[in-house]
């Protein structure tokens, strides 16, 4: 009997050790308790672009900085769930983190971020003049700087060069393709069973058109504005493309159509270039998102931003190390551009290798830079959720546009209301 | 006689006292269940209690939870103007529909397959492996396969049926798709249980019934089904609970559409607690508690009806 008890007890002991071992090792992998001369750098780059970021980090580490960067890529959803936990517990807080531009206001509101204000003095080159305005302005909240941009990534439009030549040879003469031109081309191509335009990611498509018409998801930064005449007009325009059979049918894969040469226009993010390149015989070009009128161009954009979450244990020296890395990235963003993104730092702009890249047209001059529109709003996430439910169903005729807009507006209002209580 | 009786009782009770006194510090039963108890407490009991606590708070996962009493429950159960009231109604309704559509099929199809395999046909091992295999796949793998099979433009279903049905974004096809996928994916687990149960039925019963002139249908309903009632009860309850927790299939295949007609409650819970916006964990937790209560109630009803005949 005693033997068995001892045996069981030892098993229990091992289990408990294993459990406690788990917890201590996981906290050890994070920030403050790790090696002293290391900057723990969290980012959501788990896709192919993660390799490009690793390349930047490796090259920086080769310059023998005082603080080496430890690159930790975490799936975006998991990362955003983890952040409040680690910051609240004070253990394992990353020293430097990449977050999406739309999230920053939320973090500032919850007092989770350290400002860069006093740290920029030693690095005068990290300033507005050296960055794309859309990316730089995001980090300026209530007169303080909370983030430094890495990139600006936009939702634009790919086109099939051969099909464009055939159905709309003069559409690109003014460097802008309008919806009228798409309709005209689509009417012609319909007879040859070629789709005019693919309905891809409905959220940026809708938001771009909404903004061209003069709408925005918030008027004052607090209340959401979704149920508006402009929104209705935007949805009706898209529904018109579907009803007129200019756009692909419901359920058809627009990517498949475009890659197999059966669609002329394909609105997608600049980050999709690798996927489009898979189609070997496809000759494609990149241009701005389609416009209603050529005089006001809008390209939906988001941005990856460097932030520092508050951490009492982070030494001043380490913060200096972080700033050095940011300054390095500012000047050495070319590998990141090769992943299909547009670096936010203008230092890369003159590099001939960069100028060759298709997406570089978006930031080659200040006029184009001004077309980049980031939908920056505290409650952006709530709007995104409802827009995702609304657009597809309403343009494919499954949901009445008025009803859908009303429901979406109400859902966002209710979510904001509950959150404010 | 009487004396002996009393004496016996006395000695017995003394014995019990002595025995229990000796064993008062006997830890071994706790040691046996110890490892499981600890895991149960860490991964089940504590999160459950904490979840119930959160449902009484207003919390964005970042600051401190603020206790608000029954406000969240009022919002989702009583306040008819609230989006969350609609979400609970739509989500719970769709979840119940899903359970109603899938559970009977998830019981009957594996039972028939098990009965078929029980006749020991040629290639039985092969078919057994074949039917069991889908259970081993992850939900995302299965959903990717099926979204390709059901694809409008290049899916084999539309190709061979020569139609252009949009299987995953129009009703009633979206429901049909979800149900068939779920049944295909979950055949294996129940089938194995039925096979084991069928193997345990004595052959004598069938022989006796055959002699009395019972045909195969009568034998199935009079002998097979009653003999495996315990296993059927178990699988019905387990399958119902599993289907109530449906999430991956509508999320990946139909994305809750068309017009939220296949958005199940877990999708709303996830959206509110861990969505792309600021977390509304209190509402999400309250919805989760309601879902848990529904599962408990339905399981209790099932137990009641299936046990009563004993």
């Amino acid at each position: 009997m005693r033997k068995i008890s001892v045996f069981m007890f030892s098993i229990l002991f091992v289990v408990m050790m294993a459990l406690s071992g788990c917890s201590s090792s996981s906290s050890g992998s994070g920030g403050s308790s790790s090696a002293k001369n290391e900057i723990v750098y969290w980012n959501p780059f788990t896709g192919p672009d993660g390799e490009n970021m690793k390349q930047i980090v490796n090259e920086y580490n080769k310059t023998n900085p005082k603080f080496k960067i430890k690159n930790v890529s975490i799936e975006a959803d998991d990362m955003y769930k983890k952040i409040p936990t680690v910051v609240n517990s004070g253990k394992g807080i990353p020293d430097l983190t990449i977050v999406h531009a739309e999230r920053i206001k939320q973090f500032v509101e919850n007092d989770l971020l350290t400002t860069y204000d006093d740290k920029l003095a030693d690095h005068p080159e990290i300033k507005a003049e050296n960055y794309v305005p859309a990316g730089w302005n995001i980090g300026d909240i209530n007169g303080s700087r909370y983030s430094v941009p890495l990139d600006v990534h936009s939702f634009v439009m790919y086109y099939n060069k051969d099909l464009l030549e055939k159905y709309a040879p003069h559409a690109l003469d003014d460097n802008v393709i309008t919806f009228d031109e798409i309709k005209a081309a689509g009417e012609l191509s319909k007879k040859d069973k070629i789709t005019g335009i693919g309905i891809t990611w409905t959220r940026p498509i809708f938001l771009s058109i909404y903004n061209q018409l003069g709408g925005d998801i918030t008027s004052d930064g607090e209340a959401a504005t979704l149920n508006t005449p402009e929104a209705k007009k935007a949805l009706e325009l898209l529904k018109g493309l579907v009803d007129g059979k200019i756009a692909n049918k419901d359920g058809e894969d627009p990517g498949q159509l475009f890659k197999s040469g059966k669609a002329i226009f394909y609105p997608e993010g600049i980050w999709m270039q690798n996927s489009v390149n898979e189609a070997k015989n496809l000759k494609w070009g990149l241009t701005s998102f389609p416009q209603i009128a050529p005089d006001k161009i809008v390209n939906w954009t988001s941005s990856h931003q460097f932030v520092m979450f508050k951490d009492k244990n982070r030494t001043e020296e380490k913060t200096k190390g972080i700033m050095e890395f940011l300054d390095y990235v500012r000047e050495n963003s070319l590998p990141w551009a090769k992943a299909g993104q547009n670096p936010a730092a203008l230092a890369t702009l003159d590099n001939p290798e960069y100028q060759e890249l298709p997406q570089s047209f978006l930031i080659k001059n200040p006029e184009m830079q001004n077309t980049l529109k980031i939908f920056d709003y505290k409650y952006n996430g709530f709007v995104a959720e409802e827009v995702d439910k609304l657009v597809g169903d309403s343009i494919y005729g499954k949901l009445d546009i008025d009803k859908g807009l009303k429901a979406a507006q109400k859902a966002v209002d209710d979510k904001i209301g509950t959150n404010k209580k | 006689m009487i004396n002996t009786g009393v004496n016996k009782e006395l000695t017995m009770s003394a014995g019990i006292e002595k025995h229990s006194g000796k064993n008062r510090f006997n830890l071994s039963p706790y040691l046996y269940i110890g490892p499981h108890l600890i895991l149960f407490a860490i991964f089940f009991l504590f999160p459950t209690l904490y979840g119930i606590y959160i449902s009484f708070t207003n919390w964005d996962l970042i600051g401190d939870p603020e206790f608000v009493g029954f406000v969240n429950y009022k919002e989702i159960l009583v306040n008819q103007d609230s989006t969350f009231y609609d979400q609970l109604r739509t989500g719970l309704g769709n979840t119940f529909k899903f359970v109603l559509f899938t559970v009977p099929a998830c019981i009957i199809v594996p039972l028939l397959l098990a009965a078929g395999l029980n006749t020991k046909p040629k290639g039985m091992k092969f078919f057994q492996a074949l039917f069991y295999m889908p259970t081993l796949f992850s939900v995302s793998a299965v959903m990717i396969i099926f979204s390709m099979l059901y694809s409008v433009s290049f899916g084999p279903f539309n190709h061979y049926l020569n139609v252009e049905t949009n299987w995953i974004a129009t009703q009633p096809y979206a429901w049909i798709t979800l149900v068939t996928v779920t049944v295909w994916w979950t055949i294996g687990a129940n089938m194995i249980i039925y096979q084991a149960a069928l193997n345990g039925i004595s052959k004598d019963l069938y022989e006796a019934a055959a002699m009395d002139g019972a045909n195969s249908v009568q034998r199935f309903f009079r002998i097979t089904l009653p003999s495996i009632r315990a296993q059927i009860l178990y699988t019905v309850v387990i399958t119902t609970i599993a289907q109530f927790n449906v999430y991956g299939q509508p999320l990946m295949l139909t994305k809750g559409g068309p017009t939220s007609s296949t958005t199940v409650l877990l999708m709303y819970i996830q959206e509110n607690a861990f969505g792309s916006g600021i977390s509304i964990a209190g509402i999400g937790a309250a919805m989760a508690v309601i879902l848990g209560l529904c599962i408990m109630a339905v399981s209790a009803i099932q137990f009641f009806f299936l046990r009563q005949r004993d």
Side-chain angles (χ1 to χ4, degrees):
Chain A
M1 195 66 196
R2 174 171 286 177
K3 254 189 185 170
I4 293 174
S5 302
V6 170
F7 176 65
M8 289 305 296
F9 204 74
S10 50
I11 287 182
L12 196 64
F13 185 71
V14 169
V15 169
M16 282 172 69
M17 287 305 288
L19 285 173
S20 60
C22 277
S23 63
S24 71
S25 69
S26 65
S27 66
S29 67
S32 47
S33 56
S34 63
K36 265 194 174 163
N37 289 335
E38 207 171 59
I39 289 164
V40 177
Y41 166 42
W42 281 14
N43 56 60
F45 305 134
T46 47
D49 50 358
E51 289 306 311
N52 301 56
M53 181 44 76
K54 246 185 240 165
Q55 196 190 331
I56 295 179
V57 169
N58 286 343
E59 275 166 25
Y60 175 73
N61 285 345
K62 271 186 213 152
T63 64
N64 259 328
K66 196 173 172 201
F67 289 89
K68 288 203 170 175
I69 304 287
K70 188 183 171 199
N71 187 58
V72 184
S73 297
I74 309 170
E75 186 70 43
D77 281 349
D78 292 337
M79 192 183 85
Y80 288 123
K81 273 176 216 165
K82 246 179 168 173
I83 285 171
T85 323
V86 293
V87 178
N88 276 345
S89 73
K91 272 183 206 157
I93 303 172
D95 297 307
L96 183 64
T97 311
I98 288 274
V99 298
H100 289 94
E102 296 88 351
R103 298 251 180 185
I104 291 174
K105 277 208 173 120
Q106 248 180 70
F107 288 135
V108 172
E109 191 130 305
N110 286 299
D111 198 23
L112 296 182
L113 295 181
T114 308
T115 71
Y116 284 95
D117 292 342
D118 46 338
K119 286 119 198 163
L120 289 174
D122 298 339
H123 296 272
E125 290 307 307
I126 301 183
K127 62 178 175 189
E129 290 76 26
N130 286 337
Y131 289 90
V132 176
W136 177 261
N137 294 343
I138 287 289
D140 188 9
I141 296 166
N142 308 330
S144 283
R145 171 134 304 270
Y146 287 97
S147 69
V148 173
L150 165 70
D151 63 24
V152 278
H153 47 275
S154 309
F155 192 87
V156 291
M157 185 162 74
Y158 297 74
Y159 58 89
N160 184 319
K161 282 187 175 164
D162 297 333
L163 293 177
L164 186 80
E165 189 60 35
K166 193 171 170 190
Y167 297 109
H170 300 297
L172 253 183
D173 289 353
D174 54 353
N175 276 324
V176 188
I177 291 176
T178 62
F179 280 104
D180 290 336
E181 285 165 337
I182 290 177
K183 268 182 217 160
E187 290 294 342
L188 287 176
S189 67
K190 217 170 8 182
K191 291 159 199 123
D192 304 333
K193 294 205 167 159
I194 302 281
T195 303
I197 184 169
I199 301 291
T200 49
W201 189 17
T202 52
R203 191 197 303 168
I205 292 179
F206 166 74
L207 289 178
S208 297
I209 302 173
Y210 186 32
N211 195 238
Q212 289 177 37
L213 290 163
D216 204 337
I217 54 177
T218 177
S219 50
D220 55 359
E222 277 296 326
T225 46
L226 209 49
N227 189 10
T228 61
E230 290 86 11
K232 189 179 173 184
K233 234 171 140 185
L235 289 175
E236 278 168 349
L237 182 135
L238 286 168
K239 190 164 189 295
L241 291 176
V242 170
D243 292 345
K245 299 200 165 50
I246 308 291
N248 60 288
K249 274 176 280 184
D250 188 16
E252 266 184 334
D253 181 352
Q256 201 70 30
L257 289 175
F258 184 71
K259 282 180 227 168
S260 55
K262 287 187 178 141
I264 314 172
F265 300 110
Y266 178 55
E268 253 303 347
I270 55 174
W271 55 88
M272 287 293 269
Q273 290 173 50
N274 284 343
S275 153
V276 178
N277 276 331
E278 278 168 19
K280 288 276 177 291
N281 298 322
L282 183 71
K283 277 191 267 170
W284 57 269
L286 207 57
T287 184
S288 288
F289 185 81
Q291 310 295 322
I292 292 163
D295 52 345
K296 194 199 176 200
I297 306 179
V298 176
N299 286 304
W300 178 97
T301 297
S302 180
S303 167
H304 290 118
Q305 304 259 336
F306 289 105
V307 297
M308 291 187 282
F309 285 101
K310 282 195 172 165
D311 185 358
K312 281 181 219 144
N313 301 323
R314 193 181 297 133
T315 60
E316 215 162 285
E317 277 204 305
K318 195 179 242 185
T319 311
K320 272 185 190 156
I322 293 172
M323 297 308 294
E324 251 157 56
F325 176 63
L326 294 188
D327 222 358
Y328 175 87
V329 173
R330 185 180 66 78
E331 289 182 298
N332 298 280
S333 289
L334 189 63
W336 193 240
K338 284 183 181 163
Q341 310 275 18
N342 272 325
L346 298 177
T348 330
L349 211 60
D350 301 328
N351 190 316
E353 236 183 300
Y354 170 69
Q355 287 169 348
E356 297 275 300
L357 294 170
Q359 78 272 19
S360 61
F361 78 94
L362 282 166
I363 55 175
K364 70 178 175 200
N365 57 42
E367 289 82 56
M368 282 311 287
Q369 287 176 21
N370 281 336
T371 69
L372 309 180
K373 162 76 181 166
I374 298 182
F375 288 85
D376 179 33
Y377 171 39
K378 210 171 14 167
Y379 301 114
N380 180 300
F382 292 155
V383 175
E385 278 163 3
E386 296 311 318
V387 166
D388 284 352
K389 287 179 207 163
L390 163 78
V391 183
D393 281 343
S394 56
I395 66 177
Y396 281 106
K398 294 174 220 168
L399 178 67
D400 181 67
I401 290 179
D402 287 317
K403 260 192 211 161
L405 279 171
K406 213 175 139 197
Q409 176 77 49
K410 187 166 148 32
V412 176
D413 287 346
D414 283 356
K415 284 178 181 182
I416 295 173
T418 310
N419 198 265
K420 271 190 184 159
K421 258 180 211 163
Chain B
M1 283 298 270
I2 296 164
N3 278 346
T4 22
V6 172
N7 278 345
K8 246 186 195 168
E9 263 187 344
L10 277 174
T11 37
M12 265 173 73
S13 63
I16 289 167
E17 254 168 41
K18 203 180 164 193
H19 202 70
S20 63
K22 201 178 176 183
N23 279 351
R24 187 165 293 155
F25 302 109
N26 189 356
L27 271 172
S28 40
Y30 300 100
L31 292 177
Y32 277 107
I33 60 164
H36 182 253
L37 198 67
I38 290 171
L39 293 176
F40 173 80
I42 294 176
F43 293 108
F44 189 82
L45 191 64
F46 175 69
T48 308
L49 294 178
Y50 197 60
I52 293 171
Y53 165 67
I54 292 172
S55 72
F56 291 104
T57 66
N58 184 13
W59 193 31
D60 58 2
L61 295 185
I62 295 174
D64 293 319
E66 171 203 355
F67 192 81
V68 291
F70 282 93
V71 167
N72 292 332
Y73 288 96
K74 255 188 220 154
E75 183 83 8
I76 60 173
L77 291 173
V78 192
N79 183 2
Q80 296 195 7
D81 292 330
S82 167
T83 305
F84 303 109
Y85 174 87
D86 289 337
Q87 284 187 350
L88 183 78
R89 243 183 41 163
T90 318
L92 210 54
N94 288 334
T95 308
F96 268 97
K97 268 189 207 164
F98 184 82
V99 171
L100 221 62
F101 295 155
T102 52
V103 171
C106 284
I107 300 297
I108 293 165
V109 174
L111 184 60
L112 293 180
L113 289 175
L117 288 175
N118 201 41
T119 60
K120 309 270 185 300
K122 225 179 177 183
M124 178 195 137
K125 289 277 168 213
F126 170 73
F127 284 108
Q128 189 180 330
L130 193 70
F131 296 144
Y132 190 72
M133 208 144 57
T135 310
L136 303 174
F137 299 151
S138 78
V139 61
S140 18
V142 172
M143 293 314 132
I144 289 170
I145 294 168
F146 271 84
S147 62
M148 286 177 175
L149 288 175
Y150 283 114
S151 160
V152 173
S153 36
F154 59 98
F157 283 116
N158 276 355
H159 181 75
Y160 288 113
L161 294 173
N162 210 4
V163 288
E164 291 206 328
T165 311
N166 191 353
W167 291 92
I168 50 182
T170 46
Q171 292 292 22
Y173 303 108
W175 275 120
I176 296 174
T177 312
L178 282 178
V179 172
T180 46
V181 171
T182 308
V183 172
W184 181 82
W185 183 42
T186 53
I187 284 174
N190 284 351
M191 191 188 74
I192 291 289
I193 293 171
Y194 295 140
Q195 271 192 297
L198 292 174
N199 267 332
I201 303 173
S202 166
K203 293 275 171 295
D204 302 353
L205 292 171
Y206 289 108
E207 279 167 21
M211 269 182 204
D212 286 343
N215 62 28
S216 57
V217 175
Q218 281 171 322
R219 272 177 289 178
F220 181 79
F221 282 104
R222 295 293 169 91
I223 300 173
T224 312
L225 277 189
S227 308
I228 61 168
R229 201 160 82 221
Q231 285 84 353
I232 289 181
L233 168 72
Y234 172 76
T235 49
V236 166
V237 174
I238 291 295
T239 310
T240 309
I241 293 174
Q243 304 309 351
F244 259 113
N245 285 314
V246 58
Y247 178 62
Q249 297 97 305
L251 181 81
M252 295 193 63
L253 208 56
T254 62
K255 304 193 170 56
T259 56
S260 305
S261 58
T262 57
T263 312
V264 294
L265 190 56
L266 271 182
M267 290 166 76
Y268 284 125
I269 294 171
Q270 148 82 21
E271 182 190 296
N272 287 327
F274 305 110
S276 48
I278 302 163
S279 171
I280 318 170
I283 295 274
M287 286 179 176
V289 170
I290 300 288
L291 180 64
L293 290 177
C294 287
I295 296 175
M296 271 165 66
V298 170
S299 306
I301 293 167
Q302 286 172 337
F303 262 108
F304 179 75
F305 277 108
L306 288 161
R307 270 284 158 83
Q308 225 179 20
R309 287 183 212 148
D310 278 343

